[in-house]
Amino acid sequence: MPPLPFIDYYRYEMKPLQRIKGIFEGRSVNALVGTVLFVIFFMAYMKPLSHVLFYQEQHHLFLFSHLYFTQQLASHGWMSYLADFIIQFFYYPVLGSILMALLLTAIYFLAGWAIRLLIRRTDVLQLALIPAVATFFYTMAADHSLTTPLTILFVLIALDLLVWLGRRFLFKSRFPFKELKKGWLTFSFLVVYLIGGYVLFLKNYNLPERLMLKTEQYVKAGDWNHTLEYTNHYLESGRTNQLISYFHTLALYHLGQLPYHLLDYPPVLGVKTLYFPWDSNSRESEYGHFLYEELGYINEAQRWEFESMVVWGETAPHLINLAKYNIVNHRPRVAQRFINVLKQSLFYQDTARQLEDCLRVGHVPGLRNALNGVVDRPARFANVINIGPELAYLCEKDPKNKMAFEYLMADLLLGNNVERFAESLHFIRNFHVMSLPPMYEEALLIYKLKVGEDAFRKLGFPISRSTEERFQQYYNLAQSGQAELLQEQFGSTYWYYINYVSPYANKAITQ
């Protein structure tokens, strides 16, 4: 049978290695690398770096107003204004990932074009990958400034234009190493870049930062199961972090597990496991409101949020929360002021309309003021250093506030204050609890040993026989010096906490 004239037999008879070599010769390789680079960047921001987009969007708010335009240009300049414009689209993770991937891929193509203009040959060594990948590594930090990648982009644009305009006068000769134009060389360098980039990514990836920011994201969404999952993952590694512990206890409460699993991981921070005392720390200022909002202590939540807004500016989370707090506190004109700012944004206009609906009825779903109608004469000032007095105050003024009660018990126990714990335990009768949590019984047993049987009977709370038997086992192990076995069997008990973990002198306070 004669050969068919329209079939290119040479193309079909080429060896596979020759085909690969052909792919990596010529300018078509740049399009291929750019496409692969875009996909890698997109997937990176969608998955392992999704927390970066969340953090950026939550800390910037672009407004479509003349006042914002003039203030931004006067204080930060054009590049910051453009960065905020782009960051607003991070509200949708897919769109934000696409924009970041496009930005970094554009840096690759612009750098490649500059190299080709300079040497008048294809970028055989794919040196254009270096600025693109280096910029990507810079953006891996959650608090990076997007103005830096944008500055690199515009510098490359200016460089390309300058080289293009001056090439006839300044770059008349060609790059001398003609023999470098080989597909295998390009392929080899791409493999090196891929392996080196992957290793550097793993080395520079900040897993604790991701866990903290993803946890914050789930806290804001009220997803307590995922919050507990992420905090458990962090604490299982043996690391200590106040923010993670803070979110962990919030999740435990909402899942009904606070009195039962508070000591699962050694609370080496003591009472600071539960809350942030106010110490004018700008980084901590944006987290304190969570607890007070959940407690219904709206005045304190508002104070924390306003202080945080002073530090971070009028971002969407602060404006939304301050609007809600002022609605609940019956300050409609103040709430409207924050709502009006949200109306000038692109993606928070629906939220602003929902807040206006709440403003008309004077109520925010899911938010209550536990001290509504309570008037103190003379005026009472909140304790911003120690949350204990505030929790006791809430329990007195709002006896059905279960969160205030459980946090008060946890605060007293973590502070080794067994006597006050025993005296305050009577609040539990407001919640119809069938039996005391094991941690409460363990603390009561310590109190009983300290004050004696007669004083203990006045409390009216029994201690189960199983708790007394477990204490005897604990005591025997402690006396025998079997530290590892003691921790294994009793590491999550209050007895172990007060003797081996507590930062407060490792003894109960009963006076």
Side-chain angles (χ1 to χ4, degrees):
M1 181 177 179
L4 298 177
F6 53 82
I7 294 181
D8 186 349
Y9 282 93
Y10 173 75
R11 182 165 62 88
Y12 281 93
E13 292 177 2
M14 285 177 63
K15 295 180 180 179
L17 293 178
Q18 290 177 324
R19 294 181 187 176
I20 295 175
K21 178 175 179 293
I23 292 174
F24 291 96
E25 288 183 342
R27 295 185 178 180
S28 60
V29 68
N30 295 324
L32 175 63
V33 173
T35 302
V36 173
L37 207 60
F38 174 85
V39 173
I40 291 175
F41 289 151
F42 173 77
M43 294 305 298
Y45 288 111
M46 277 297 295
K47 295 295 182 181
L49 296 179
S50 60
H51 62 284
V52 174
L53 301 185
F54 166 77
Y55 180 89
Q56 289 283 321
E57 194 276 333
Q58 292 287 284
H59 288 82
H60 296 81
L61 182 65
F62 185 87
L63 301 178
F64 291 88
S65 71
H66 177 71
L67 178 62
Y68 175 81
F69 175 77
T70 55
Q71 289 180 345
Q72 194 73 358
L73 291 188
S75 57
H76 301 290
W78 276 98
M79 206 62 68
S80 179
Y81 182 80
L82 179 59
D84 283 353
F85 177 80
I86 294 174
I87 289 172
Q88 71 177 325
F89 296 101
F90 294 178
Y91 182 86
Y92 296 106
V94 174
L95 183 55
S97 300
I98 291 174
L99 289 175
M100 288 300 296
L102 284 174
L103 174 60
L104 296 174
T105 306
I107 290 175
Y108 164 75
F109 281 117
L110 288 170
W113 191 32
I115 293 172
R116 288 197 300 273
L117 287 174
L118 285 170
I119 67 176
R120 298 197 176 189
R121 291 191 183 280
T122 304
D123 182 12
V124 178
L125 305 182
Q126 287 295 312
L127 298 177
L129 281 169
I130 295 175
V133 174
T135 306
F136 168 72
F137 285 136
Y138 168 77
T139 63
M140 285 177 61
D143 58 351
H144 74 267
S145 173
L146 192 62
T147 57
T148 299
L150 289 173
T151 301
I152 294 172
L153 180 74
F154 284 106
V155 166
L156 287 172
I157 292 173
L159 178 63
D160 287 345
L161 290 175
L162 288 174
V163 175
W164 181 76
L165 291 172
R167 61 180 294 182
R168 292 187 178 182
F169 306 99
L170 301 176
F171 309 110
K172 294 183 179 180
S173 61
R174 292 193 171 193
F175 193 77
F177 304 111
K178 183 177 181 179
E179 66 274 9
L180 287 180
K181 191 176 181 180
K182 295 181 178 180
W184 286 122
L185 187 62
T186 300
F187 178 77
S188 300
F189 268 81
L190 287 175
V191 171
V192 171
Y193 291 143
L194 179 62
I195 296 174
Y198 181 71
V199 171
L200 287 175
F201 177 81
L202 294 179
K203 184 178 180 180
N204 290 280
Y205 188 66
N206 193 337
L207 181 59
E209 180 180 73
R210 172 176 172 78
L211 290 175
M212 284 188 285
L213 291 177
K214 290 299 290 184
T215 302
E216 180 186 353
Q217 187 175 359
Y218 288 127
V219 169
K220 288 182 175 180
D223 188 342
W224 301 110
N225 285 303
H226 276 102
T227 299
L228 189 62
E229 176 187 343
Y230 270 75
T231 55
N232 282 340
H233 184 56
Y234 188 101
L235 295 171
E236 283 168 359
S237 65
R239 291 171 292 190
T240 301
N241 181 278
Q242 188 176 5
L243 180 61
I244 289 293
S245 298
Y246 174 73
F247 287 151
H248 184 70
T249 51
L250 278 173
L252 287 176
Y253 166 73
H254 282 281
L255 296 175
Q257 302 176 19
L258 183 57
Y260 302 94
H261 296 283
L262 175 63
L263 304 177
D264 282 2
Y265 303 101
V268 295
L269 297 174
V271 296
K272 289 185 178 180
T273 300
L274 305 172
Y275 70 100
F276 284 98
W278 179 255
D279 58 4
S280 301
N281 186 311
S282 61
R283 180 65 65 177
E284 294 176 356
S285 65
E286 59 182 328
Y287 304 121
H289 75 280
F290 288 111
L291 174 59
Y292 290 105
E293 178 181 324
E294 296 292 334
L295 286 168
Y297 202 167
I298 302 302
N299 284 342
E300 269 303 286
Q302 178 172 318
R303 183 184 68 80
W304 276 87
E305 269 294 64
F306 196 87
E307 294 285 356
S308 184
M309 187 179 69
V310 172
V311 174
W312 298 100
E314 291 185 334
T315 62
H318 302 321
L319 293 171
I320 292 171
N321 286 332
L322 287 170
K324 292 193 302 183
Y325 300 157
N326 280 281
I327 291 172
V328 172
N329 278 335
H330 309 296
R331 301 188 185 106
R333 295 180 63 183
V334 179
Q336 188 66 59
R337 186 268 177 203
F338 297 116
I339 294 172
N340 290 339
V341 178
L342 285 172
K343 285 181 177 179
Q344 300 170 31
S345 66
L346 180 60
F347 297 113
Y348 288 96
Q349 294 185 23
D350 288 342
T351 303
R353 284 191 286 270
Q354 293 171 5
L355 288 171
E356 284 191 323
D357 293 339
C358 294
L359 184 60
R360 280 190 285 271
V361 298
H363 171 72
V364 177
L367 187 64
R368 63 182 287 267
N369 187 349
L371 300 176
N372 188 33
V374 175
V375 178
D376 292 305
R377 291 187 174 88
R380 180 182 181 277
F381 294 92
N383 189 324
V384 299
I385 303 299
N386 182 4
I387 199 174
E390 306 310 301
L391 294 171
Y393 180 71
L394 284 171
C395 286
E396 292 172 2
K397 301 298 182 180
D398 186 27
K400 298 293 185 180
N401 193 329
K402 188 176 181 181
M403 185 177 188
F405 165 73
E406 290 193 358
Y407 262 75
L408 175 62
M409 297 296 98
D411 178 73
L412 294 173
L413 291 178
L414 292 181
N416 296 15
N417 205 326
V418 175
E419 182 174 348
R420 284 196 55 206
F421 160 80
E423 293 172 350
S424 303
L425 190 57
H426 65 89
F427 287 115
I428 200 172
R429 295 190 175 97
N430 295 316
F431 309 107
H432 307 290
V433 177
M434 299 300 295
S435 61
L436 294 178
M439 182 175 68
Y440 290 3
E441 287 197 2
E442 292 161 4
L444 283 178
L445 185 54
I446 294 176
Y447 177 75
K448 177 182 177 181
L449 295 174
K450 291 288 184 179
V451 301
E453 184 72 33
D454 293 337
F456 173 73
R457 280 204 196 94
K458 296 178 181 178
L459 293 177
F461 292 103
I463 297 176
S464 66
R465 185 175 182 81
S466 61
T467 299
E468 293 181 343
E469 291 175 350
R470 284 191 303 111
F471 178 75
Q472 190 60 47
Q473 296 170 6
Y474 168 85
Y475 181 78
N476 292 336
L477 281 176
Q479 290 296 104
S480 64
Q482 302 181 58
E484 292 184 4
L485 189 59
L486 184 69
Q487 182 178 11
E488 179 183 344
Q489 295 186 8
F490 296 96
S492 60
T493 65
Y494 186 64
W495 306 317
Y496 189 87
Y497 168 79
I498 204 167
N499 285 310
Y500 299 100
V501 178
S502 173
Y504 310 114
N506 298 327
K507 63 180 182 179
I509 300 173
T510 57
Q511 297 296 330

